Amino acid sequence: QVQLVESGGGLVQAGDSLRLLCVISNRAWNRYNMGWFRQAPGKEREFVTAIDWSGNSSHYSESVKGRFTISRDYAKDTVSLQMGSLKSEDTAVYYCAAAQDKENRWPLVDPTEYDFWGQGTQVTVSS
């Protein structure tokens, strides 16, 4: 069993920065691909970014490339999403996700490929 818990969401102004944190309960997560997704009202869950099991590769959607950065800390069992230059279009519930036993598949952008999900954290960007 793997449990993921997100935190760090909030209400910010356009152009501001925000950091989200995902805490993973299972030590075996260091062999998982990790990702962040988001879901805005009335829309389907959307891929944001992913980092591979080794931490050496990352992938971003075109809408966030150059503004967001994903990282993982194996010692602290956490994955972070640093968001900068936030826009109103970034408003959504953000979810942390883990893909088990998919080390050789990259990039992993399909949400159906992920096995574990957090409860989500709300990010609201006002303009």
Side-chain angles (χ1 to χ4, degrees):
Q1 182 178 345
V2 177
Q3 183 177 358
L4 291 74
V5 179
E6 306 98 329
S7 63
L11 174 63
V12 298
Q13 296 280 83
D16 285 353
S17 298
L18 197 64
R19 174 176 285 182
L20 306 183
L21 183 69
C22 175
V23 181
I24 301 93
S25 64
N26 196 313
R27 193 70 176 181
W29 81 284
N30 59 6
R31 301 295 295 182
Y32 298 171
N33 291 325
M34 303 295 299
W36 285 94
F37 291 77
R38 65 188 183 186
Q39 188 166 17
K43 296 185 177 180
E44 295 183 345
R45 193 161 297 187
E46 174 191 18
F47 172 79
V48 177
T49 182
I51 188 166
D52 79 332
W53 68 272
S54 71
N56 293 324
S57 297
S58 58
H59 184 70
Y60 300 88
S61 68
E62 290 297 323
S63 62
V64 307
K65 189 176 299 181
R67 300 188 297 119
F68 290 10
T69 301
I70 187 172
S71 61
R72 62 195 302 169
D73 189 327
Y74 298 99
K76 297 181 179 180
D77 295 335
T78 59
V79 175
S80 296
L81 179 63
Q82 180 66 48
M83 305 182 293
S85 300
L86 284 164
K87 308 173 181 179
S88 60
E89 302 96 291
D90 297 318
T91 296
V93 176
Y94 283 72
Y95 297 91
C96 180
Q100 186 178 27
D101 298 325
K102 298 182 177 66
E103 296 89 351
N104 295 326
R105 301 184 64 177
W106 186 258
L108 203 57
V109 302
D110 187 347
T112 64
E113 296 287 348
Y114 288 80
D115 304 293
F116 307 101
W117 295 84
Q119 85 289 348
T121 185
Q122 176 72 49
V123 173
T124 303
V125 184
S126 62
S127 59

